[in-house]
Amino acid sequence: MSFEEKTISIETIYQGRMLKLEKQTVELPNGRQTTREVVKHPGAVAILAVKDDQILLIKQFRKAMDETLIEVPAGKVEAGEERMTTARRELIEETGLQAESMTLLHEFYVSPGFCDELISLYRAENLSESDAFSADDDEFIELQWLPFKEITALLASGQVRDAKTILALQTVLLDCNDSN
Amino acid sequence: MSFEEKTISIETIYQGRMLKLEKQTVELPNGRQTTREVVKHPGAVAILAVKDDQILLIKQFRKAMDETLIEVPAGKVEAGEERMTTARRELIEETGLQAESMTLLHEFYVSPGFCDELISLYRAENLSESDAFSADDDEFIELQWLPFKEITALLASGQVRDAKTILALQTVLLDCNDSN
């Protein structure tokens, strides 16, 4: 069964530094026309950095909701950049750490109702201080190492309010369960 | 430590049916000014509907990425609507099922780098056919019941490419592990 929507026309409303906003006119499977507001996003990576049964979390102010959030390190893919390169670059930029091993865990859209942002979540291991590290002047970040055994309580507390981070922490818990 | 960004000015670029796009000029903690592209979203709910050790999934075409995705039922919060009411309404609209029990599992932002969309994920149980059901003319959805014991394989296959759905499925797996 195909539910595809045919694109009739695309109007670019806004082309910004990071986001592009389009108003698409589409034909539905029943032949009717409607419009879709679509945000085009370059995509992003998130990094589950693991060391000695601990996970690296960051605290960061997010202007979109005027809240400080607990998140795993993450960042946008630059034009033409391989996603694993983005992951290595962002991990260094946000935490000063480089990873010998970087493994893809999951890839997911975060807001498929209106935005094409795809996040690739990597597990980073064998971490060491990077020589290339110089903190981004305009990024204000606090680092925190969370022991595996505190993940369940942190999730239950409701303090983690970011989808990719909850998803990453759950992945660690499931992995721990499997190996027991 | 406070990393808050002070709002200097807000320019509304676009006010649409669902989305509002703003360009915010902010002052960083170091005193420098920069701009932030912010998408304002009404928020959404997602529903983990459970019956006889099975989960209800839907297949749905998503125009933003021109892909058919496997997701849990979900939908936008209407103006002034309580989120649990949205969850009951969307479950009926998308699946024809009403739930006696509806419990909040997690609340999370999905794209905090630029958008304030907050999703409330509910677990719906004691399901029955709704009398109020009449499918939305413009929604094209295929339903599928997934047995708990097939969740691990489905996640490993990479076929689920939606953050809230991976998060919901992992919540079920962790819940199963706890009760063993």
Side-chain angles (χ1 to χ4, degrees), chain B residues 47 49 73 87-97 99 124 127:
Chain B
I47 304 117
R88 291 185 182 281
R89 178 177 57 70
E90 286 289 345
L91 184 63
I92 293 175
E93 283 178 18
E94 296 199 338
T95 73
L97 295 175
L127 305 170

Side-chain angles (χ1 to χ4, degrees), chain B residues 41-47 75-78 80-90 102 104 106-109 116-122:
Chain B
H41 186 284
V45 301
I47 304 117
K76 283 181 297 292
V77 178
E78 302 285 348
E81 192 176 42
E82 295 248 6
R83 282 173 173 260
M84 198 177 282
T85 307
T86 312
R88 291 185 182 281
R89 178 177 57 70
E90 286 289 345
M102 192 71 89
L104 183 66
H106 285 289
E107 274 191 327
F108 42 83
Y109 297 107
D116 68 348
E117 178 180 6
L118 179 74
I119 294 186
S120 304
L121 173 66
Y122 292 91

Side-chain angles (χ1 to χ4, degrees), chain A residues 3 5 7 14 16-19 21 35 37 61 63 67 109-111 117 140 161 163 167 170 177, chain B residues 3 5 7 14 16-19 21 35 37 61 63 67 109-111 117 140 161 163 170-171 177:
Chain A
F3 295 147
E5 299 174 1
T7 308
Y14 174 76
R17 281 198 308 176
M18 174 177 89
L19 304 177
L21 175 62
T35 57
E37 294 166 359
F61 182 78
K63 193 70 193 90
E67 262 181 54
Y109 298 107
V110 284
S111 209
E117 178 180 5
F140 302 89
R161 288 162 65 79
L167 193 161
Q170 289 178 330
N177 285 335
Chain B
F3 293 148
E5 298 174 1
T7 308
Y14 174 75
R17 280 198 310 175
M18 176 178 88
L19 303 177
L21 175 62
T35 57
E37 294 166 358
F61 182 77
K63 193 70 193 87
E67 262 182 53
Y109 297 107
V110 285
S111 209
E117 178 180 6
F140 302 88
R161 288 162 64 80
Q170 292 192 146
T171 301
N177 285 337

Side-chain angles (χ1 to χ4, degrees), chain B residues 15-42:
Chain B
Q15 170 72 66
R17 280 198 310 175
M18 176 178 88
L19 303 177
K20 183 180 177 183
L21 175 62
E22 296 178 349
K23 195 180 214 170
Q24 301 191 352
T25 302
V26 304
E27 187 182 300
L28 299 175
N30 63 6
R32 280 167 60 174
Q33 289 196 4
T34 189
T35 57
R36 302 269 181 229
E37 294 166 358
V38 171
V39 172
K40 293 286 180 181
H41 186 284

